[in-house]
Amino acid sequence: MIIDDLINRMGGWLKGVGPNADIVISSRIRLARNIADVPFPHWAKKPEAEHILTLTKAVFEKTPLLKDSLYVRLDDMDSIDKQFLVERHLMSNEHAVRSAQKALLVNPDETVAVMVNEEDHLRIQVMESGFDLERTWATINAIDDSFAQNLPYAFKPEWGFLTACPTNTGTGMRGSVMLHLPALVMTRQINRVLEAIAKLSFTTRGLYGEGTQASGNFFQISNQVCLGQREEEILDNIKGVIAQIIEHEEKARQALLQDHREMLDDRIWRSYGTLKNAHIISSNETVELLSMLRLGHDLGFIKGLTSGLINELFILTQPAHLQKIENKKLTANERDVKRAEIIRDRLAKLS
Amino acid sequence: MLCNLCQKNPATVHLTEIVDDQMSELHLCDDCARKKSIQMEQQFGLSDLLGGLVEYGKQLGAGADKAQGVLQCSACGLTYEDFRKIGRLGCSECYTSFSKQLGVLLKRIHGATHHVGKAIPTTAPQASQAPPGPGPGKRPRTKTVDLEELKVRLQEAIRKEEFEEAAQLRDLIKELEKSKKTNPKGT
Protein backbone atom coordinates (compact mmCIF):
# COMPACT_ATOMS: atom_id res chain seq x y z
CA MET A 1 0.00 0.00 0.00
CA ILE A 2 1.31 3.51 -0.80
CA ILE A 3 0.07 6.94 0.31
CA ASP A 4 -1.58 7.75 -3.01
CA ASP A 5 -3.88 4.74 -2.55
CA LEU A 6 -5.52 6.50 0.38
CA ILE A 7 -6.94 9.40 -1.64
CA ASN A 8 -9.52 7.22 -3.40
CA ARG A 9 -10.94 5.68 -0.26
CA MET A 10 -12.47 6.72 3.01
CA GLY A 11 -11.24 5.71 6.44
CA GLY A 12 -13.40 3.15 8.25
CA TRP A 13 -14.01 5.61 11.06
CA LEU A 14 -15.68 8.05 8.62
CA LYS A 15 -18.48 5.72 7.56
CA GLY A 16 -20.94 7.65 9.69
CA VAL A 17 -22.34 4.48 11.25
CA GLY A 18 -22.28 3.01 14.76
CA PRO A 19 -24.07 3.95 17.98
CA ASN A 20 -25.28 7.60 18.22
CA ALA A 21 -23.71 8.39 14.85
CA ASP A 22 -25.95 11.47 14.53
CA ILE A 23 -24.05 13.23 17.33
CA VAL A 24 -20.86 11.22 17.79
CA ILE A 25 -18.52 11.29 14.79
CA SER A 26 -15.89 8.93 16.10
CA SER A 27 -14.37 7.24 19.14
CA ARG A 28 -10.61 7.19 19.49
CA ILE A 29 -8.14 5.68 21.95
CA ARG A 30 -4.41 6.17 21.96
CA LEU A 31 -1.74 4.45 24.03
CA ALA A 32 1.70 5.94 24.72
CA ARG A 33 4.40 3.27 24.98
CA ASN A 34 8.18 3.33 25.26
CA ILE A 35 11.05 0.89 25.07
CA ALA A 36 12.97 0.44 28.32
CA ASP A 37 16.47 1.92 28.56
CA VAL A 38 16.44 3.79 25.25
CA PRO A 39 16.16 7.59 25.60
CA PHE A 40 12.77 9.04 24.67
CA PRO A 41 12.62 10.48 21.12
CA HIS A 42 13.33 14.12 21.99
CA TRP A 43 16.41 13.07 23.99
CA ALA A 44 17.64 10.19 21.82
CA LYS A 45 20.68 10.43 19.60
CA LYS A 46 20.30 9.52 15.94
CA PRO A 47 21.51 5.89 16.27
CA GLU A 48 19.21 5.34 19.24
CA ALA A 49 16.22 6.68 17.32
CA GLU A 50 17.19 4.48 14.34
CA HIS A 51 17.38 1.51 16.70
CA ILE A 52 13.76 2.15 17.77
CA LEU A 53 12.68 2.33 14.11
CA THR A 54 14.33 -1.00 13.29
CA LEU A 55 13.09 -2.72 16.43
CA THR A 56 9.48 -1.63 16.04
CA LYS A 57 9.30 -2.21 12.28
CA ALA A 58 10.30 -5.86 12.79
CA VAL A 59 7.53 -6.25 15.38
CA PHE A 60 4.92 -4.54 13.15
CA GLU A 61 5.75 -7.01 10.38
CA LYS A 62 4.98 -10.00 12.52
CA THR A 63 1.80 -8.61 14.09
CA PRO A 64 -1.18 -10.29 12.37
CA LEU A 65 -3.53 -7.44 13.34
CA LEU A 66 -1.42 -5.05 11.23
CA LYS A 67 -1.37 -7.16 8.08
CA ASP A 68 -1.08 -5.24 4.76
CA SER A 69 -0.45 -1.94 6.52
CA LEU A 70 1.17 1.13 5.01
CA TYR A 71 4.54 1.94 6.61
CA VAL A 72 6.30 5.19 5.80
CA ARG A 73 9.30 7.08 7.07
CA LEU A 74 8.64 10.79 7.28
CA ASP A 75 12.21 12.05 6.87
CA ASP A 76 12.09 12.67 3.16
CA MET A 77 8.38 12.90 2.59
CA ASP A 78 7.17 16.11 0.93
CA SER A 79 5.14 18.53 3.00
CA ILE A 80 1.86 18.00 1.12
CA ASP A 81 1.96 14.26 1.80
CA LYS A 82 2.68 14.88 5.47
CA GLN A 83 -0.14 17.41 5.74
CA PHE A 84 -2.41 14.94 3.93
CA LEU A 85 -1.79 12.34 6.68
CA VAL A 86 -2.47 14.94 9.39
CA GLU A 87 -5.75 15.94 7.69
CA ARG A 88 -6.83 12.28 7.74
CA HIS A 89 -6.24 12.21 11.51
CA LEU A 90 -3.59 9.53 11.08
CA MET A 91 -0.84 11.50 12.76
CA SER A 92 -0.20 14.66 14.74
CA ASN A 93 0.99 17.96 13.38
CA GLU A 94 4.01 17.64 15.66
CA HIS A 95 4.95 14.42 13.85
CA ALA A 96 4.82 16.23 10.51
CA VAL A 97 6.84 19.25 11.61
CA ARG A 98 9.82 17.45 13.13
CA SER A 99 10.14 14.42 10.97
CA ALA A 100 13.73 13.17 11.34
CA GLN A 101 13.82 9.47 12.38
CA LYS A 102 10.07 9.29 12.51
CA ALA A 103 7.71 6.78 10.95
CA LEU A 104 4.01 6.05 10.62
CA LEU A 105 2.09 2.83 10.20
CA VAL A 106 -1.52 2.82 8.95
CA ASN A 107 -3.71 -0.28 8.56
CA PRO A 108 -5.73 -0.73 5.34
CA ASP A 109 -9.03 0.73 6.61
CA GLU A 110 -7.24 3.56 8.50
CA THR A 111 -8.72 2.57 11.86
CA VAL A 112 -5.26 1.81 13.27
CA ALA A 113 -2.29 4.20 13.13
CA VAL A 114 1.02 3.93 14.98
CA MET A 115 3.41 6.87 15.17
CA VAL A 116 7.02 5.91 15.86
CA ASN A 117 9.31 8.38 17.66
CA GLU A 118 6.70 11.06 18.23
CA GLU A 119 6.68 12.28 21.84
CA ASP A 120 6.98 8.63 22.91
CA HIS A 121 8.60 5.74 21.06
CA LEU A 122 5.16 4.44 20.14
CA ARG A 123 1.84 6.20 19.93
CA ILE A 124 -0.78 3.61 19.04
CA GLN A 125 -4.16 4.96 17.89
CA VAL A 126 -7.40 3.17 17.09
CA MET A 127 -10.43 5.04 15.72
CA GLU A 128 -13.94 3.76 15.10
CA SER A 129 -17.05 5.37 13.65
CA GLY A 130 -19.75 6.42 16.16
CA PHE A 131 -19.85 6.07 19.94
CA ASP A 132 -18.05 2.78 20.48
CA LEU A 133 -15.23 2.94 23.00
CA GLU A 134 -15.63 -0.78 23.88
CA ARG A 135 -14.81 -1.94 20.41
CA THR A 136 -12.03 0.61 20.11
CA TRP A 137 -10.53 -0.57 23.39
CA ALA A 138 -10.79 -4.26 22.42
CA THR A 139 -8.84 -3.58 19.22
CA ILE A 140 -6.11 -1.41 20.73
CA ASN A 141 -5.74 -3.68 23.76
CA ALA A 142 -5.11 -6.66 21.48
CA ILE A 143 -2.50 -4.75 19.45
CA ASP A 144 -0.82 -3.55 22.63
CA ASP A 145 -0.76 -7.09 24.08
CA SER A 146 0.84 -8.35 20.94
CA PHE A 147 3.52 -5.60 21.02
CA ALA A 148 4.17 -6.30 24.72
CA GLN A 149 5.07 -9.91 23.88
CA ASN A 150 7.79 -8.71 21.53
CA LEU A 151 9.04 -5.37 22.83
CA PRO A 152 10.67 -4.60 26.20
CA TYR A 153 8.20 -1.93 27.28
CA ALA A 154 9.25 0.69 29.83
CA PHE A 155 7.07 -0.25 32.79
CA LYS A 156 7.24 0.10 36.57
CA PRO A 157 4.61 -1.80 38.62
CA GLU A 158 4.14 1.23 40.88
CA TRP A 159 3.68 3.82 38.11
CA GLY A 160 2.64 1.76 35.12
CA PHE A 161 3.79 2.66 31.62
CA LEU A 162 6.58 5.24 31.68
CA THR A 163 6.15 8.09 29.23
CA ALA A 164 8.14 11.14 28.16
CA CYS A 165 5.56 13.47 29.69
CA PRO A 166 4.35 12.68 33.22
CA THR A 167 0.79 13.62 32.24
CA ASN A 168 0.61 10.25 30.44
CA THR A 169 2.33 8.11 33.07
CA GLY A 170 0.26 5.14 34.22
CA THR A 171 -2.07 3.74 31.60
CA GLY A 172 -0.57 5.99 28.90
CA MET A 173 -4.12 6.02 27.60
CA ARG A 174 -6.20 8.84 26.24
CA GLY A 175 -9.73 8.06 25.18
CA SER A 176 -11.53 10.70 23.16
CA VAL A 177 -14.87 11.11 21.51
CA MET A 178 -15.54 13.56 18.67
CA LEU A 179 -18.93 15.21 19.03
CA HIS A 180 -21.04 17.41 16.78
CA LEU A 181 -22.99 19.77 19.05
CA PRO A 182 -24.66 22.44 16.88
CA ALA A 183 -27.81 22.78 18.99
CA LEU A 184 -25.88 23.33 22.23
CA VAL A 185 -23.89 26.05 20.44
CA MET A 186 -26.98 27.69 18.93
CA THR A 187 -28.84 27.69 22.24
CA ARG A 188 -25.73 29.14 23.93
CA GLN A 189 -25.49 26.30 26.43
CA ILE A 190 -22.16 24.98 25.20
CA ASN A 191 -19.95 26.99 27.57
CA ARG A 192 -21.82 25.72 30.58
CA VAL A 193 -21.41 22.16 29.34
CA LEU A 194 -17.70 22.59 28.64
CA GLU A 195 -17.10 24.17 32.05
CA ALA A 196 -18.80 21.24 33.75
CA ILE A 197 -16.64 18.82 31.75
CA ALA A 198 -13.46 20.63 32.78
CA LYS A 199 -14.46 20.32 36.44
CA LEU A 200 -14.64 16.55 36.01
CA SER A 201 -11.05 16.66 34.70
CA PHE A 202 -11.80 16.04 31.07
CA THR A 203 -10.38 18.22 28.32
CA THR A 204 -12.03 19.64 25.25
CA ARG A 205 -10.10 20.07 22.02
CA GLY A 206 -10.79 20.93 18.41
CA LEU A 207 -10.98 18.72 15.33
CA TYR A 208 -7.28 17.92 15.16
CA GLY A 209 -6.53 17.26 18.80
CA GLU A 210 -4.01 18.98 20.97
CA GLY A 211 -3.64 22.71 20.48
CA THR A 212 -6.49 23.12 17.99
CA GLN A 213 -9.56 25.30 18.28
CA ALA A 214 -13.05 23.96 18.15
CA SER A 215 -14.65 24.85 14.80
CA GLY A 216 -17.88 24.08 13.04
CA ASN A 217 -19.48 22.91 16.29
CA PHE A 218 -17.10 19.96 16.60
CA PHE A 219 -15.63 19.12 19.97
CA GLN A 220 -13.27 16.38 21.03
CA ILE A 221 -13.58 15.34 24.66
CA SER A 222 -10.98 13.21 26.40
CA ASN A 223 -9.69 12.08 29.78
CA GLN A 224 -6.79 13.78 31.51
CA VAL A 225 -6.00 11.39 34.33
CA CYS A 226 -3.88 8.33 33.54
CA LEU A 227 -2.80 7.13 36.97
CA GLY A 228 -4.81 5.45 39.72
CA GLN A 229 -7.67 4.21 37.54
CA ARG A 230 -8.04 1.11 35.40
CA GLU A 231 -8.39 1.62 31.66
CA GLU A 232 -11.97 0.32 31.73
CA GLU A 233 -12.82 2.71 34.57
CA ILE A 234 -11.42 5.69 32.68
CA LEU A 235 -13.38 4.71 29.58
CA ASP A 236 -16.56 4.18 31.65
CA ASN A 237 -16.19 7.69 33.04
CA ILE A 238 -15.84 9.12 29.54
CA LYS A 239 -18.87 7.12 28.42
CA GLY A 240 -20.90 8.48 31.32
CA VAL A 241 -20.01 12.08 30.53
CA ILE A 242 -20.56 11.68 26.78
CA ALA A 243 -23.94 10.01 27.32
CA GLN A 244 -25.04 13.08 29.28
CA ILE A 245 -23.77 15.50 26.65
CA ILE A 246 -25.62 13.52 23.96
CA GLU A 247 -28.80 13.82 26.01
CA HIS A 248 -28.35 17.60 26.37
CA GLU A 249 -27.69 17.99 22.64
CA GLU A 250 -30.82 15.94 21.83
CA LYS A 251 -32.94 18.09 24.16
CA ALA A 252 -31.50 21.28 22.67
CA ARG A 253 -32.34 19.99 19.16
CA GLN A 254 -35.93 19.28 20.26
CA ALA A 255 -36.19 22.75 21.82
CA LEU A 256 -34.98 24.38 18.61
CA LEU A 257 -37.47 22.35 16.56
CA GLN A 258 -40.34 23.43 18.79
CA ASP A 259 -39.54 27.08 19.41
CA HIS A 260 -37.30 28.21 16.56
CA ARG A 261 -38.33 26.08 13.61
CA GLU A 262 -38.11 28.93 11.05
CA MET A 263 -34.66 29.97 12.19
CA LEU A 264 -33.49 26.38 11.98
CA ASP A 265 -35.02 25.88 8.52
CA ASP A 266 -33.45 29.10 7.34
CA ARG A 267 -29.94 28.33 8.53
CA ILE A 268 -29.93 24.76 7.25
CA TRP A 269 -31.38 25.52 3.79
CA ARG A 270 -29.23 28.61 3.31
CA SER A 271 -26.14 26.53 4.11
CA TYR A 272 -27.25 23.85 1.66
CA GLY A 273 -27.90 26.51 -0.96
CA THR A 274 -24.47 28.07 -0.53
CA LEU A 275 -22.68 24.72 -0.67
CA LYS A 276 -24.58 23.74 -3.84
CA ASN A 277 -23.88 27.04 -5.59
CA ALA A 278 -20.67 28.62 -4.33
CA HIS A 279 -17.75 29.01 -6.74
CA ILE A 280 -15.20 30.24 -4.18
CA ILE A 281 -15.27 28.90 -0.62
CA SER A 282 -12.74 28.97 2.24
CA SER A 283 -12.10 25.96 4.44
CA ASN A 284 -13.52 27.73 7.51
CA GLU A 285 -16.77 28.56 5.77
CA THR A 286 -16.94 24.98 4.47
CA VAL A 287 -16.68 23.51 7.95
CA GLU A 288 -19.38 25.86 9.29
CA LEU A 289 -21.77 25.10 6.42
CA LEU A 290 -21.14 21.36 6.43
CA SER A 291 -21.97 21.38 10.13
CA MET A 292 -25.40 22.83 9.28
CA LEU A 293 -25.80 20.36 6.42
CA ARG A 294 -25.10 17.54 8.85
CA LEU A 295 -27.71 18.88 11.25
CA GLY A 296 -30.22 19.13 8.40
CA HIS A 297 -29.54 15.51 7.52
CA ASP A 298 -29.76 14.35 11.16
CA LEU A 299 -33.09 16.13 11.68
CA GLY A 300 -34.47 14.68 8.45
CA PHE A 301 -34.90 18.08 6.72
CA ILE A 302 -32.66 17.23 3.78
CA LYS A 303 -33.30 13.87 2.14
CA GLY A 304 -30.91 11.81 0.08
CA LEU A 305 -27.75 12.68 1.98
CA THR A 306 -25.68 10.23 4.00
CA SER A 307 -23.44 10.90 7.01
CA GLY A 308 -20.68 9.15 5.10
CA LEU A 309 -20.89 11.65 2.22
CA ILE A 310 -20.83 14.64 4.57
CA ASN A 311 -17.81 13.21 6.41
CA GLU A 312 -16.10 12.62 3.09
CA LEU A 313 -16.62 16.28 2.13
CA PHE A 314 -15.04 17.38 5.43
CA ILE A 315 -11.93 15.38 4.63
CA LEU A 316 -11.64 15.99 0.88
CA THR A 317 -11.99 19.78 1.09
CA GLN A 318 -8.89 20.25 3.24
CA PRO A 319 -5.86 21.96 1.67
CA ALA A 320 -3.51 19.00 1.25
CA HIS A 321 -6.35 16.77 0.02
CA LEU A 322 -7.27 19.26 -2.70
CA GLN A 323 -3.64 19.36 -3.81
CA LYS A 324 -3.38 15.57 -3.84
CA ILE A 325 -6.55 15.37 -5.95
CA GLU A 326 -5.16 17.93 -8.42
CA ASN A 327 -1.71 16.41 -8.07
CA LYS A 328 -0.01 19.81 -7.89
CA LYS A 329 0.61 22.72 -5.55
CA LEU A 330 -2.33 25.14 -5.39
CA THR A 331 -2.43 28.70 -4.06
CA ALA A 332 -5.02 29.57 -1.41
CA ASN A 333 -7.25 31.16 -4.07
CA GLU A 334 -6.97 28.16 -6.36
CA ARG A 335 -7.86 25.90 -3.46
CA ASP A 336 -11.00 27.92 -2.67
CA VAL A 337 -12.14 27.48 -6.28
CA LYS A 338 -11.34 23.76 -6.39
CA ARG A 339 -13.02 23.21 -3.02
CA ALA A 340 -16.25 24.81 -4.22
CA GLU A 341 -16.12 22.73 -7.41
CA ILE A 342 -15.78 19.42 -5.52
CA ILE A 343 -18.64 20.27 -3.16
CA ARG A 344 -20.96 21.35 -6.04
CA ASP A 345 -20.08 18.22 -7.93
CA ARG A 346 -20.79 15.81 -5.05
CA LEU A 347 -24.03 17.51 -4.05
CA ALA A 348 -25.28 17.75 -7.66
CA LYS A 349 -24.96 13.99 -8.03
CA LEU A 350 -27.59 13.56 -5.33
CA SER A 351 -30.45 15.58 -6.76
CA MET B 1 37.35 29.12 19.82
CA LEU B 2 34.86 27.49 17.45
CA CYS B 3 31.28 26.59 18.31
CA ASN B 4 31.03 23.05 19.77
CA LEU B 5 27.92 22.27 17.73
CA CYS B 6 28.51 23.57 14.20
CA GLN B 7 32.31 23.79 14.38
CA LYS B 8 32.13 26.73 11.95
CA ASN B 9 31.48 30.02 13.71
CA PRO B 10 33.34 31.53 16.66
CA ALA B 11 31.76 30.67 20.00
CA THR B 12 30.21 33.64 21.78
CA VAL B 13 27.95 31.93 24.33
CA HIS B 14 29.63 29.91 27.05
CA LEU B 15 27.76 27.53 29.29
CA THR B 16 29.22 25.87 32.36
CA GLU B 17 27.54 22.96 34.04
CA ILE B 18 28.59 21.34 37.29
CA VAL B 19 27.43 17.78 37.84
CA ASP B 20 28.71 15.86 40.88
CA ASP B 21 31.76 18.12 41.15
CA GLN B 22 32.52 17.50 37.47
CA MET B 23 32.58 20.66 35.45
CA SER B 24 31.60 20.54 31.78
CA GLU B 25 31.63 23.45 29.39
CA LEU B 26 29.70 24.12 26.21
CA HIS B 27 30.72 26.86 23.80
CA LEU B 28 28.21 27.93 21.18
CA CYS B 29 27.99 30.50 18.42
CA ASP B 30 25.06 32.96 18.35
CA ASP B 31 23.11 30.92 15.81
CA CYS B 32 23.45 27.58 17.57
CA ALA B 33 22.64 29.11 20.95
CA ARG B 34 19.51 30.68 19.52
CA LYS B 35 18.46 27.42 17.87
CA LYS B 36 18.98 25.55 21.09
CA SER B 37 16.86 27.95 23.09
CA ILE B 38 14.11 28.06 20.43
CA GLN B 39 14.09 24.28 20.37
CA MET B 40 13.53 24.18 24.08
CA GLU B 41 10.87 26.87 24.04
CA GLN B 42 8.97 25.16 21.24
CA GLN B 43 9.04 21.82 22.93
CA PHE B 44 7.67 23.41 26.01
CA GLY B 45 5.13 25.48 24.15
CA LEU B 46 3.70 22.37 22.54
CA SER B 47 3.64 20.41 25.73
CA ASP B 48 0.48 19.62 27.61
CA LEU B 49 -0.68 22.03 30.21
CA LEU B 50 0.94 20.59 33.25
CA GLY B 51 -1.16 22.41 35.79
CA GLY B 52 1.53 24.60 37.27
CA LEU B 53 4.36 22.19 36.56
CA VAL B 54 6.84 24.95 35.79
CA GLU B 55 6.47 26.84 39.02
CA TYR B 56 6.15 23.67 40.97
CA GLY B 57 9.19 22.12 39.34
CA LYS B 58 11.17 25.24 40.25
CA GLN B 59 10.42 24.74 43.92
CA LEU B 60 11.32 21.07 43.78
CA GLY B 61 14.41 21.69 41.72
CA ALA B 62 15.61 24.47 43.99
CA GLY B 63 15.23 22.25 47.04
CA ALA B 64 17.15 19.46 45.38
CA ASP B 65 19.97 21.74 44.27
CA LYS B 66 20.51 22.96 47.77
CA ALA B 67 20.43 19.53 49.30
CA GLN B 68 22.42 17.37 46.90
CA GLY B 69 23.96 19.33 44.04
CA VAL B 70 22.60 18.92 40.49
CA LEU B 71 20.01 16.17 40.12
CA GLN B 72 20.79 14.13 37.03
CA CYS B 73 19.58 10.84 35.54
CA SER B 74 22.37 8.28 35.79
CA ALA B 75 21.30 6.57 32.56
CA CYS B 76 20.62 9.35 30.05
CA GLY B 77 22.23 12.42 31.60
CA LEU B 78 19.09 14.56 31.64
CA THR B 79 19.08 16.89 34.65
CA TYR B 80 15.98 17.75 36.63
CA GLU B 81 16.58 21.30 35.46
CA ASP B 82 16.34 20.09 31.82
CA PHE B 83 13.07 18.36 32.62
CA ARG B 84 11.77 21.52 34.22
CA LYS B 85 12.55 23.49 31.06
CA ILE B 86 11.32 21.08 28.40
CA GLY B 87 8.57 19.31 30.31
CA ARG B 88 9.75 15.90 29.07
CA LEU B 89 11.77 13.20 30.78
CA GLY B 90 14.82 11.71 29.06
CA CYS B 91 14.35 7.96 29.43
CA SER B 92 12.52 5.34 31.48
CA GLU B 93 15.36 5.38 34.04
CA CYS B 94 14.62 9.06 34.82
CA TYR B 95 11.64 7.72 36.77
CA THR B 96 14.11 6.07 39.17
CA SER B 97 16.60 8.94 39.21
CA PHE B 98 13.93 11.55 40.01
CA SER B 99 11.58 9.22 41.87
CA LYS B 100 11.09 11.55 44.81
CA GLN B 101 10.23 14.62 42.71
CA LEU B 102 8.12 12.64 40.25
CA GLY B 103 6.17 10.94 43.03
CA VAL B 104 4.96 14.34 44.17
CA LEU B 105 4.42 15.62 40.65
CA LEU B 106 2.42 12.55 39.53
CA LYS B 107 0.17 12.88 42.54
CA ARG B 108 -0.42 16.50 41.65
CA ILE B 109 -1.21 15.78 38.02
CA HIS B 110 -3.31 12.64 38.42
CA GLY B 111 -4.46 12.85 42.03
CA ALA B 112 -3.14 9.33 42.58
CA THR B 113 0.17 7.64 43.29
CA HIS B 114 -0.27 4.08 42.06
CA HIS B 115 -0.93 2.45 38.73
CA VAL B 116 -3.84 0.00 38.81
CA GLY B 117 -4.34 -0.53 35.07
CA LYS B 118 -2.97 -3.18 32.78
CA ALA B 119 0.52 -4.56 33.34
CA ILE B 120 3.04 -6.06 30.98
CA PRO B 121 2.82 -9.85 30.59
CA THR B 122 5.17 -12.00 32.66
CA THR B 123 6.53 -13.40 29.42
CA ALA B 124 7.48 -9.93 28.15
CA PRO B 125 11.02 -9.59 26.78
CA GLN B 126 13.61 -7.92 28.98
CA ALA B 127 15.57 -4.87 27.90
CA SER B 128 18.83 -5.88 26.20
CA GLN B 129 21.08 -4.12 28.69
CA ALA B 130 20.28 -4.31 32.37
CA PRO B 131 19.36 -0.85 33.62
CA PRO B 132 21.75 0.55 36.23
CA GLY B 133 20.25 -0.40 39.59
CA PRO B 134 19.29 2.29 42.06
CA GLY B 135 21.91 3.14 44.66
CA PRO B 136 21.41 1.89 48.20
CA GLY B 137 19.92 5.19 49.35
CA LYS B 138 17.60 5.53 46.36
CA ARG B 139 15.71 2.26 46.64
CA PRO B 140 11.98 2.92 46.51
CA ARG B 141 10.40 2.69 49.88
CA THR B 142 8.30 -0.38 50.55
CA LYS B 143 6.06 -1.40 53.39
CA THR B 144 8.80 -3.48 54.94
CA VAL B 145 10.54 -0.29 56.00
CA ASP B 146 10.73 -0.02 59.78
CA LEU B 147 8.13 2.33 61.25
CA GLU B 148 10.54 3.73 63.82
CA GLU B 149 13.12 4.50 61.17
CA LEU B 150 10.47 6.38 59.22
CA LYS B 151 9.58 8.46 62.24
CA VAL B 152 13.22 9.40 62.73
CA ARG B 153 13.46 10.37 59.07
CA LEU B 154 10.30 12.44 59.41
CA GLN B 155 11.81 14.43 62.29
CA GLU B 156 14.98 14.85 60.27
CA ALA B 157 13.03 16.12 57.26
CA ILE B 158 11.09 18.61 59.35
CA ARG B 159 14.32 19.86 60.91
CA LYS B 160 15.83 20.39 57.44
CA GLU B 161 12.59 22.06 56.31
CA GLU B 162 12.17 19.50 53.51
CA PHE B 163 8.43 19.63 53.63
CA GLU B 164 7.68 17.64 50.48
CA GLU B 165 9.67 14.75 51.85
CA ALA B 166 8.11 15.21 55.27
CA ALA B 167 4.60 15.07 53.84
CA GLN B 168 5.40 11.86 51.97
CA LEU B 169 6.85 10.29 55.11
CA ARG B 170 3.87 11.38 57.18
CA ASP B 171 1.46 9.74 54.71
CA LEU B 172 3.54 6.59 54.62
CA ILE B 173 3.62 6.36 58.42
CA LYS B 174 -0.16 6.87 58.59
CA GLU B 175 -0.68 4.17 56.01
CA LEU B 176 1.59 1.74 57.86
CA GLU B 177 -0.05 2.40 61.20
CA LYS B 178 -3.47 1.85 59.67
CA SER B 179 -2.47 -1.47 58.14
CA LYS B 180 -0.93 -2.53 61.46
CA LYS B 181 -4.21 -1.90 63.21
CA THR B 182 -6.23 -3.93 60.73
CA ASN B 183 -3.60 -6.64 60.58
CA PRO B 184 -1.89 -6.67 64.00
CA LYS B 185 0.41 -9.58 63.23
CA GLY B 186 2.06 -7.55 60.52
CA THR B 187 2.58 -8.64 56.93
Side-chain angles (χ1 to χ4, degrees), chain A residues 32-233:
Chain A
R33 296 290 187 254
N34 287 284
I35 309 304
D37 301 331
V38 181
F40 298 142
H42 77 97
W43 199 247
K45 298 192 179 72
K46 203 173 155 186
E48 292 164 333
E50 286 294 338
H51 171 63
I52 293 293
L53 285 165
T54 315
L55 196 69
T56 52
K57 186 163 188 260
V59 171
F60 296 158
E61 278 163 5
K62 59 179 181 183
T63 305
L65 285 159
L66 303 177
K67 211 170 150 267
D68 299 324
S69 289
L70 166 78
Y71 180 87
V72 284
R73 280 194 61 144
L74 302 177
D75 311 65
D76 305 314
M77 194 183 281
D78 78 63
S79 60
I80 292 181
D81 276 353
K82 284 193 273 191
Q83 192 53 37
F84 173 75
L85 294 168
V86 174
E87 287 176 0
R88 292 180 91 81
H89 298 255
L90 297 172
M91 67 181 202
S92 65
N93 203 28
E94 171 78 10
H95 211 48
V97 174
R98 296 159 188 272
S99 45
Q101 277 83 48
K102 293 186 194 308
L104 174 74
L105 173 128
V106 179
N107 81 333
D109 73 350
E110 294 176 59
T111 50
V112 181
V114 185
M115 290 189 279
V116 186
N117 284 336
E118 206 241 24
E119 184 180 301
D120 295 292
H121 292 143
L122 290 177
R123 283 288 180 103
I124 314 164
Q125 156 182 300
V126 173
M127 266 178 122
E128 296 284 355
S129 182
F131 188 23
D132 203 348
L133 285 167
E134 277 109 352
R135 207 174 127 202
T136 313
W137 170 243
T139 309
I140 201 163
N141 196 24
I143 294 171
D144 184 46
D145 283 346
S146 156
F147 286 177
Q149 294 289 353
N150 298 296
L151 291 168
Y153 272 164
F155 182 86
K156 229 174 163 14
E158 185 190 6
W159 286 339
F161 293 93
L162 307 178
T163 52
C165 183
T167 49
N168 296 313
T169 312
T171 59
M173 182 187 81
R174 179 150 290 148
S176 32
V177 176
M178 179 86 72
L179 297 162
H180 182 226
L181 305 173
L184 285 176
V185 174
M186 278 191 253
T187 55
R188 297 178 204 281
Q189 296 179 77
I190 192 70
N191 284 337
R192 263 195 6 227
V193 173
L194 297 184
E195 275 165 31
I197 292 167
K199 278 193 190 133
L200 296 167
S201 66
F202 289 92
T203 40
T204 311
R205 298 190 167 97
L207 270 175
Y208 296 93
E210 212 161 282
T212 60
Q213 292 269 315
S215 65
N217 309 318
F218 293 96
F219 300 87
Q220 205 183 134
I221 290 165
S222 48
N223 66 298
Q224 243 173 337
V225 169
C226 288
L227 193 67
Q229 289 177 12
R230 283 168 45 242
E231 288 83 355
E232 290 85 356
E233 259 177 274

Side-chain angles (χ1 to χ4, degrees), chain B residues 34-46:
Chain B
R34 205 173 306 124
K35 271 183 211 151
K36 220 175 158 58
S37 72
I38 289 172
Q39 212 178 355
M40 287 194 157
E41 272 169 32
Q42 278 186 344
Q43 276 171 346
F44 196 76
L46 289 166

Side-chain angles (χ1 to χ4, degrees), chain B residues 84-153:
Chain B
R84 198 170 69 63
K85 281 188 194 131
I86 59 187
R88 301 282 182 272
L89 293 156
C91 70
S92 49
E93 203 47 33
C94 287
Y95 280 87
T96 307
S97 303
F98 311 136
S99 67
K100 194 174 104 183
Q101 286 74 14
L102 287 176
V104 179
L105 188 60
L106 288 172
K107 174 139 202 248
R108 209 178 145 100
I109 296 171
H110 301 284
T113 52
H114 279 82
H115 176 62
V116 292
K118 77 184 276 193
I120 51 171
T122 45
T123 53
Q126 298 293 310
S128 45
Q129 325 139 260
K138 287 184 192 164
R139 208 170 291 280
R141 285 173 214 117
T142 61
K143 286 196 175 181
T144 51
V145 176
D146 183 12
L147 194 59
E148 290 312 309
E149 190 200 319
L150 285 178
K151 284 181 178 168
V152 172
R153 272 166 52 192

